Each structure stands twice: as C-alpha cells, then as structure tokens.
Amino acid sequence: MHVTRIATTEDLERLRPNWNCLAHGMPFRTWQWLFNWWKHYGEGKTLYTLAVHDDGGVLVGVAPWYIERRGSDGLVIQFLGAGEVCTDYLTILGTMEHSSAVSTAIAEWLVGASEENVESEDRWDLLDFESMSVGDPNIESLLSTLHANGCVFNRRPAANCWRLDLPSSWDEFTSDLKRTQAKTVRRVSRRLFDSGRGLMRTLDKPSQLDERMRVFVDLHQLRWTSLGEPGCFESPQFSQFLHDSAADLFSAEMLDIRCLEIEGQPVAIEFFLTSATSRYVYQGGLDPDSLQESPGHAIMSTIIRDAIEAGCQYVDFLRGDEPYKVAWGARPLQTERIRVAANRLGPQLRNHAWFAGEAMKGWIKQGFTLNGVH
C-alpha cells in the first residue's frame, strides 16, 4: 500500500474517475457531494486527503479530509462535508477487500507524519471527527493502529441517525404502524389523493431542477422563519453548495425533490438522496398555513411507498432526534464524536485540557439542573 497526500484541488480532481467506486452507493460519500463541499467551504482550509494505491498503482482507498489551524487545538484534521452541511455516514473510503488494510496504512502514515522529531508540512495535532457511526470498521481499524502507536483518543455520544427498515409491501408496512399513525396516513390519502385535491410531483428531468430548487428554498425558509429561526439558506455558502450538489447528484441519478401541491399550490417539499438500496431524507420545507392538511404525512408516505416498490431496504431520516422519526417506526443508529491527539506531548496535553474542560461543563450543567436552575 502506498499513501499519498493530496494537497491541491487539481490533484484532488484526478481522483474523480475512481472515487465513487469506493463510495459503495452512499450519496454522502460521493465525489458529487464532497467535492462541492470543498469548492464552497474550502476557503481558509488546506486539503489533507490521503489517497491509497496498491502495488499496481490502483486507487483502493481515500481518506477525504482537510486540515486547518483552530485555536488552542492546533492543526486539526476533519472530514470534507463537516460543519453546517451535516454530512452523515462519512468514513474512510476503500474497496471491500482492502478496507482494513487501507485504514491501517493511513494510520501508519499519520503516525509517521506527526512524530516528535519529524519536521514536516504534513504534521498534524488533532483528528476531530463529528457524527461517526458507532462501530464503523474502517474507523475502528484506524483508531486501533493510532492507539498502538502512541496516539490517544476520546469518544463522546453524538446525535442519533434514524433508519426505517422496509418490509416487502406497503400493506405490511401500514399494518405495522401504530394505530394513530396508520389512521392519519389513510385519512390524508383520502382527503388529498383520492379526492384529486393533492398532486405529488417528482423531479423527472434537468429542466425542472432550477424551479424545483426555488420552491424548495422558499418553503424551507417559510417554515423556519415561522418558527423564529433563520433557516439554512440564510447561509450563502450552504445555498451555493446545495444548488451545485443538486445538479451533480441529479445527473448521477442520486437525487429527487418531491413536491406536494394542493389545488395547484406547492405546500410541502422534500429533498432526498437515493441509492439502489435506500432513500436518505435530507431536508424539507412546508407552508405553515397548510398544517391542517398533514402535508408531512402525505409526502413522507409516498417516499416510503415508492421506496418499498423499488425494492429498497430502508429509508434513512439521518441525524436528529425529531419525534416524527419514531412515529414512522424508525430505529436509532448511534453516532459519536471522536477526537484523536497526535503521538506527541503537546497535542496530548492540549487534548487533556479540552477533555477536562468539557467534563467540568457537564458537571456544572448537571449541578444547575439538580438545583432547579436551567
């Protein structure tokens, strides 16, 4: 295994032809998602993507990372896709047969780049990985090798992802729903679709994309501003990132934007990513004045039903513990934040200080709660 650091956008683009073969159908790991993130969020950061080739020169693994200097933490490595984009299921990419070897090779390279007596432009102080799937074998292999070579790490629980396992038929799915949820689904179907008042539009061709994105942004912002929140599209970076990603993902047949119209007016919309086995419900919006029509039930039931008919294994509601996910029967998937301090005294002392500070915050918060002060 040969590990090479990719430090320029031009070199990163050379990985594009083989990148998605290593993503195994997961949209958030694809070139379309992560390169667009780098394009819009890379200012002030430096690429630190590690490419792994086998002895024949074939790309067999990628660690899609960047590095930046961050306060007292020093030089911090994070995943492309981090931050406000809320990218779930990130990991070290690799072929099925080489995944463990890829993670081990990357860990050994990191150890060598950060040794006490080595002065290198590749030096790093901390790995900070948000929302990692608990038990991810690629991450576990990385941590095991780093720990064996003197690095130390902390793990803390993060927000759950939620996954709805799908049966073989819609009837079987609705029969398993709680009575109140099943009743709502049937009532909404009668009031909207059987009556002809409601129409569900899918994204069928490129010429529809700009208009569908406009409706999506408008409904998303309308919903959040009605709750006194700014909404994601107040961020110009996020808006530009998602527009570019949507175009690239739709071209790769990994995107749908489903819109519910009632009597000709758009009232609810969902932006979701697709693969052969699943649907990933990323973001939505709705008109608050339409809540009495239960548009969320209407649009989600069609996504789930179509996923079942397409032979998908699950619908994934991604990160966040919103009650509607439980109502649909989804199960939690644990995630964690992982911090790894490099195999040097300085980074480990700083990490220890950070950990002590976080623990103190927890104790203070718990003490306030116990005393009735919130």
Side-chain angles (χ1 to χ4, degrees):
M1 295 284 177
H2 304 281
V3 180
T4 305
R5 177 180 168 190
I6 305 301
T8 69
T9 301
E10 292 74 18
D11 286 341
L12 186 66
E13 289 188 282
R14 294 189 181 98
L15 302 181
R16 180 173 186 169
N18 299 313
W19 185 290
N20 283 1
C21 295
L22 306 177
H24 303 297
M26 171 64 73
F28 294 115
R29 300 172 185 170
T30 61
W31 173 265
Q32 287 83 350
W33 187 265
L34 295 178
F35 184 78
N36 274 303
W37 185 93
W38 174 248
K39 185 168 67 172
H40 292 293
Y41 286 91
E43 185 176 355
K45 304 173 177 67
T46 302
L47 273 173
Y48 201 99
T49 292
L50 301 182
V52 184
H53 295 82
D54 66 13
D55 291 339
V58 176
L59 183 70
V60 294
V62 173
W65 295 336
Y66 71 93
I67 192 169
E68 65 177 341
R69 184 171 292 279
R70 191 177 70 190
S72 61
D73 287 330
L75 293 168
V76 181
I77 295 174
Q78 298 180 76
F79 273 92
L80 304 179
E84 68 179 0
V85 169
C86 292
T87 306
D88 291 323
Y89 302 117
L90 289 170
T91 190
I92 295 170
L93 311 182
T95 60
M96 292 293 188
E97 61 270 34
H98 295 105
S99 59
S100 178
V102 163
S103 295
T104 299
I106 288 171
E108 291 172 347
W109 189 93
L110 287 172
V111 170
S114 187
E115 290 179 344
E116 193 74 55
N117 59 348
V118 174
E119 287 297 329
S120 169
E121 62 183 10
D122 299 324
R123 174 166 284 202
W124 58 279
D125 297 312
L126 182 74
L127 309 180
D128 191 0
F129 299 158
E130 62 179 39
S131 196
M132 296 287 101
S133 296
V134 170
D136 181 314
N138 295 351
I139 299 299
E140 293 301 324
S141 293
L142 179 82
L143 295 178
S144 177
T145 303
L146 289 173
H147 181 66
N149 284 275
C151 300
V152 298
F153 60 87
N154 309 113
R155 315 172 85 135
R156 302 187 67 189
N160 292 322
C161 290
W162 291 81
R163 180 168 292 177
L164 174 62
D165 298 307
L166 299 178
S168 59
S169 72
W170 174 250
D171 288 342
E172 184 181 351
F173 173 74
T174 54
S175 68
D176 289 339
L177 283 176
K178 292 182 178 179
R179 181 177 298 179
T180 53
Q181 185 79 344
K183 184 178 179 180
T184 301
V185 169
R186 290 192 293 268
R187 174 178 57 80
V188 170
S189 180
R190 288 194 303 270
R191 287 180 57 183
L192 294 182
F193 303 126
D194 295 348
S195 69
R197 295 176 58 240
L199 177 65
M200 195 69 67
R201 295 191 181 276
T202 60
L203 183 60
D204 298 319
K205 48 191 176 182
S207 59
Q208 300 170 339
L209 183 59
D210 286 345
E211 174 61 16
R212 192 64 55 81
M213 284 295 294
R214 184 192 65 77
V215 174
F216 168 51
V217 172
D218 288 348
L219 288 175
H220 177 88
Q221 292 298 109
L222 185 63
R223 172 59 170 163
W224 283 101
T225 53
S226 74
L227 299 173
E229 300 289 341
C232 292
F233 293 98
E234 286 294 305
S235 165
Q237 281 178 302
F238 180 81
S239 182
Q240 294 162 9
F241 157 76
L242 203 62
H243 274 81
D244 287 354
S245 296
D248 289 345
L249 288 164
F250 183 72
S251 295
E253 300 182 348
M254 289 187 287
L255 171 71
D256 196 358
I257 305 175
R258 193 156 298 191
C259 183
L260 171 64
E261 295 180 358
I262 298 179
E263 297 175 353
Q265 293 299 313
V267 298
I269 199 162
E270 286 289 347
F271 181 109
F272 62 99
L273 308 182
T274 68
S275 72
T277 60
S278 56
R279 302 291 183 262
Y280 300 90
V281 183
Y282 181 65
Q283 208 168 48
L286 59 83
D287 183 348
D289 292 337
S290 70
L291 288 175
Q292 72 279 2
E293 302 278 9
S294 300
H297 282 85
I299 203 165
M300 197 60 67
S301 64
T302 65
I303 291 173
I304 294 170
R305 186 169 192 161
D306 289 353
I308 291 172
E309 292 175 355
C312 291
Q313 297 174 11
Y314 52 87
V315 170
D316 201 307
F317 296 122
L318 304 174
R319 192 186 317 180
D321 295 328
E322 296 86 351
Y324 80 88
K325 300 175 182 180
V326 178
W328 282 109
R331 58 185 172 88
L333 300 177
Q334 292 182 316
T335 76
E336 59 185 348
R337 181 182 180 184
I338 301 172
R339 287 169 54 101
V340 183
N343 50 323
R344 304 193 315 277
L345 181 60
Q348 294 187 10
L349 288 175
R350 291 196 295 271
N351 187 63
H352 180 74
W354 172 88
F355 182 75
E358 291 296 301
M360 182 63 71
K361 290 177 187 177
W363 296 332
I364 293 172
K365 183 177 179 181
Q366 184 182 31
F368 284 169
T369 302
L370 290 173
N371 287 286
V373 181
H374 301 279

